């Protein structure tokens, strides 16, 4: 079978669908030039493939090696319907590539008049200069120049030239496609790993920052008492199910290494420079999470959980909390599969009870509705995002577990929180598990909040 980039280029929808159905395939990976599958589908005008990729969660503003986004390619080739779809999905109409050109520069240069009009209608600025001091209007023919000037004035744009150095830097790292070769190998040669810096240590193991095949990675050394052949067999059976590359809000386990030859069983995942959502909210990172960013994180988490809930069977022993949500370099929240517990890791022990549903603290795992319990955990995350506080910070884990399950302890919602978020939190934290919504029901609610 040809590679995914060829399938997207040629518009082979059946082959693309089959490829996407395998969770080990990363729909945001790049080819040698950093083109993602979405880049190719947009460039070639393969509308049905674009729909499929967007629906599965392809990153809209991903940049190739020349900093072109899919919108740059769709605009320069005049695929008006695809430009419309990308804009609808919040594509950045003023993204600049390495030469300082925006999608509007390209639409004007290639004479794509209707696309240029659509871009301006949707916020593309006519006066951004590229590296060479040219605005999009300088690139267009006289009639288009006139048309765009008129439209921009109507939209209230200031026509003073915006110099290249003042381009629209948002303070976050640009989104690149992932390295597609990393998801090819599940088994890792321990000797290829380089451990650089110990980040933390707890009862379940050590977390290190390191490198593998030239990539920055996080390495977890699992502390397991009495490693046996049986545990080794369970480990080999369980970790491949956590190699989920097919959703941008799920952080896959890249691979694992048995013990022996490694001194401990080891799992590795992508290194996230901002750490976990817990680090970002409570441990003084360099940026402030305002309400807009809080809603964006909540939407990312809800999207990731909605996807995980479609898997049959569901991932066992996955507990949602702010320590198991990682923040990527472009401020995307991703649910970490490296935080899923193995069957041999402290069975029966409840980690982070502050985020666990009351019924899950009281009953055996097989007696609870996992999907409803996850929704309770999400409600606690929402509370954490809007209050910036650690839930029940003054109590020990044992006290939290006892008081939440037996004494009705619940987080109190302080005044001043958006009424929409309060309402959503209460719905998700319904005492009756059967009355809590599903994640695919709350995604549209969060999208509306984000638009407001």
């Amino acid at each position: 079978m040809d590679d995914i980039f060829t399938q997207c280029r040629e518009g082979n929808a059946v082959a693309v669908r089959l490829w996407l159905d395998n969770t080990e395939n990363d729909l945001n990976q790049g080819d040698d030039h950093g083109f993602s599958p979405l880049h190719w589908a947009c460039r070639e005008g393969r509308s049905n493939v674009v729909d499929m990729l967007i629906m599965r969660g392809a990153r809209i503003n991903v940049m190739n090696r020349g900093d072109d986004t899919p919108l740059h390619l769709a605009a320069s080739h005049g695929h008006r319907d695809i430009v419309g779809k990308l804009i609808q999905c919040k594509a950045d109409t003023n993204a600049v590539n390495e030469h300082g050109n925006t999608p509007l520069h390209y639409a004007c240069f290639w004479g794509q008049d209707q696309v240029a009009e659509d871009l301006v209608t949707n916020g593309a600025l006519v006066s951004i200069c590229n590296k060479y001091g040219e605005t999009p209007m300088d690139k267009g023919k006289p009639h288009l120049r006139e048309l765009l000037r008129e439209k921009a004035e109507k939209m209230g744009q200031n026509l003073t030239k915006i110099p290249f150095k003042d381009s629209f830097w948002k303070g976050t790292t640009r989104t690149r496609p992932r390295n597609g070769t990393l998801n090819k190998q599940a088994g890792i040669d321990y000797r290829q790993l380089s451990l650089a810096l110990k980040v933390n240590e707890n009862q379940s193991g050590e977390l290190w920052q390191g490198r593998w095949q030239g990539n920055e990675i996080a390495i977890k050394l699992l502390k397991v008492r009495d490693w046996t052949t049986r545990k080794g067999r369970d480990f080999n059976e369980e970790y491949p199910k956590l190699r989920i590359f097919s959703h941008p809000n799920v952080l896959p386990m890249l691979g694992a290494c048995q013990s022996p030859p490694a001194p401990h069983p080891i799992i590795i995942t992508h290194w996230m420079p901002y750490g976990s959502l817990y680090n970002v909210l409570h441990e003084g990172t360099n940026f402030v999470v305002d309400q807009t960013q809080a809603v964006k994180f909540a939407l990312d988490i809800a999207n990731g959980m909605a996807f995980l809930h479609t898997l049959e069977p569901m991932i066992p022993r996955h507990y949602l909390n702010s320590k198991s949500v990682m923040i990527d370099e472009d401020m995307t929240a991703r649910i970490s599969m490296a935080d899923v517990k193995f069957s041999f890791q402290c069975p029966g022990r409840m980690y982070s009870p502050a985020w666990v549903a009351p019924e899950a603290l009281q009953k055996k795992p097989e007696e609870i509705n996992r999907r409803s319990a996850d929704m309770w955990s999400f409600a606690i995350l929402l509370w954490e995002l809007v209050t910036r506080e650690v839930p029940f910070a003054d109590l020990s884990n044992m006290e939290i577990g006892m008081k939440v399950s037996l004494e009705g302890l619940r987080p109190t919602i302080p005044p001043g929180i958006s009424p929409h978020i309060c309402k959503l939190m209460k719905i998700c934290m319904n005492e009756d598990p059967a009355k809590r919504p599903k994640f695919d029901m709350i995604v549209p609610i969060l999208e509306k909040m984000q638009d407001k």
Side-chain angles (χ1 to χ4, degrees):
M1 179 174 159
D2 282 334
D3 64 31
I4 185 61
F5 308 109
T6 307
Q7 305 295 3
C8 290
R9 244 191 332 261
E10 294 175 355
N12 189 338
V14 175
V16 173
R17 184 176 289 113
L18 282 172
W19 188 88
L20 288 172
D21 284 341
N22 179 352
T23 58
E24 281 212 23
N25 288 327
D26 181 357
L27 83 167
N28 291 307
Q29 70 187 46
D31 64 10
D32 296 344
H33 300 287
F35 280 69
S36 68
L38 185 61
H39 276 105
W40 280 117
C42 290
R43 184 180 185 274
E44 300 300 326
R46 307 300 183 188
S47 200
N48 54 346
V49 173
V50 170
D51 286 341
M52 219 183 296
L53 291 167
I54 288 174
M55 196 180 76
R56 292 295 180 100
R59 289 180 155 181
I60 302 296
N61 290 312
V62 66
M63 290 177 161
N64 65 13
R65 295 271 166 81
D67 289 351
D68 290 315
T69 65
L71 187 60
H72 279 92
L73 303 182
S76 59
H77 288 82
H79 302 309
R80 192 182 181 193
D81 59 331
I82 292 175
V83 167
K85 283 171 191 172
L86 293 172
I87 289 171
Q88 214 175 344
C89 295
K90 312 241 177 347
D92 182 357
T93 50
N94 292 306
V96 292
N97 67 10
E98 64 181 358
H99 298 290
N101 289 319
T102 64
L104 186 57
H105 276 94
Y106 281 170
C108 292
F109 179 76
W110 293 106
Q112 312 292 1
D113 295 12
Q114 285 186 313
V115 168
E117 274 193 78
D118 292 347
L119 287 166
V120 174
T121 304
N122 287 283
L125 300 175
V126 299
S127 45
I128 294 181
C129 289
N130 63 15
K131 258 186 180 173
Y132 316 103
E134 303 161 319
T135 67
M137 291 199 295
D138 295 333
K139 294 283 195 184
K141 294 197 164 72
H143 73 279
L144 180 59
R145 206 176 301 170
E146 209 41 58
L147 187 75
L148 294 185
R149 179 178 281 111
E150 208 173 291
K151 197 170 244 324
E153 281 171 344
K154 241 184 226 168
M155 303 281 299
Q157 284 192 28
N158 180 346
L159 299 188
T160 313
K161 284 190 172 188
I162 301 164
F164 173 68
K165 65 176 171 21
D166 293 335
S167 65
F168 297 82
W169 178 243
K170 293 195 170 55
T172 59
T173 314
R174 299 177 166 202
T175 306
R176 299 273 180 222
R178 291 270 176 212
N179 178 348
T181 58
L182 287 183
N183 59 3
K184 299 288 187 282
Q185 297 154 292
I188 291 159
D189 180 351
Y190 173 65
R191 291 163 303 186
Q192 289 185 353
L193 291 179
S194 122
L195 281 71
L197 175 73
K198 189 196 275 194
V199 179
N200 67 31
E201 184 174 359
N202 58 27
Q203 67 279 4
S204 67
E206 297 175 5
L207 178 67
W208 287 73
Q209 183 180 358
R211 293 187 80 75
W212 175 55
Q213 297 189 342
N215 294 281
E216 230 177 331
I217 52 162
I219 302 165
K220 276 195 170 184
L221 310 181
L222 305 180
K223 283 184 190 162
V224 183
R225 270 200 213 145
D226 313 320
W227 189 252
T228 59
T229 314
R230 172 67 197 269
K231 285 179 181 172
R233 198 167 62 236
D234 290 346
F235 181 67
N236 278 343
E237 202 176 291
E238 291 171 27
Y239 84 76
K241 293 169 186 163
L242 305 177
R243 287 169 43 79
I244 300 173
F245 291 83
S246 57
H247 198 281
N249 300 119
V250 176
L251 185 66
M253 184 187 292
L254 292 174
C257 187
Q258 260 279 23
S259 167
H264 299 275
I266 285 172
I267 57 176
I268 74 165
T269 186
H270 292 288
W271 174 254
M272 299 283 111
Y274 290 115
S276 68
L277 180 60
Y278 186 92
N279 301 139
V280 167
L281 290 175
H282 310 305
E283 293 182 349
T285 42
N286 294 333
F287 57 86
V288 177
V289 178
D290 58 15
Q291 187 162 308
T292 308
Q293 187 61 60
V295 170
K296 164 78 168 64
F297 282 155
L299 178 57
D300 285 346
I301 296 162
N303 272 317
M305 290 304 295
F307 171 76
L308 290 175
H309 281 188
T310 65
L311 300 179
E312 287 293 348
M314 278 176 68
I315 304 287
R317 296 172 299 281
H318 170 249
Y319 304 105
L320 178 64
N321 59 63
S322 58
K323 291 174 183 173
S324 68
V325 173
M326 306 305 286
I327 305 303
D328 209 337
E329 59 189 9
D330 63 348
M331 303 301 290
T332 300
R334 306 181 77 189
I335 297 156
S336 172
M337 292 295 100
D339 285 293
V340 173
K341 299 294 172 230
F342 289 91
S343 57
F344 49 78
Q345 278 183 290
C346 307
R349 180 184 181 131
M350 187 53 78
Y351 293 84
S352 307
W355 287 266
V356 177
E359 71 274 12
L361 291 167
Q362 294 164 336
K363 299 177 181 175
K364 292 177 183 164
E366 59 274 14
E367 291 172 0
I368 63 164
N369 180 328
R370 277 276 315 283
R371 290 176 171 84
S372 299
D374 283 343
M375 186 51 76
W376 178 282
S377 304
F378 178 76
I380 301 288
L381 268 176
L382 264 183
W383 179 90
E384 196 179 355
L385 278 164
V386 294
T387 62
R388 316 282 186 280
E389 290 175 24
V390 178
F392 317 122
D394 53 338
L395 301 175
S396 72
N397 274 351
M398 181 167 280
E399 287 174 314
I400 294 168
M402 297 293 286
K403 287 177 183 286
V404 169
S405 60
L406 303 173
E407 297 174 22
L409 175 68
R410 303 291 182 261
T412 52
I413 300 171
I417 302 297
S418 146
H420 301 297
I421 291 179
C422 279
K423 192 176 175 186
L424 181 60
M425 223 182 291
K426 284 173 182 163
I427 293 167
C428 299
M429 216 186 281
N430 197 307
E431 294 292 332
D432 180 351
K435 289 184 178 166
R436 292 174 206 153
K438 293 185 167 55
F439 279 100
D440 55 6
M441 292 158 71
I442 65 165
V443 164
I445 296 169
L446 287 161
E447 283 174 340
K448 273 188 185 158
M449 281 187 198
Q450 195 182 35
D451 290 341
K452 281 177 185 169

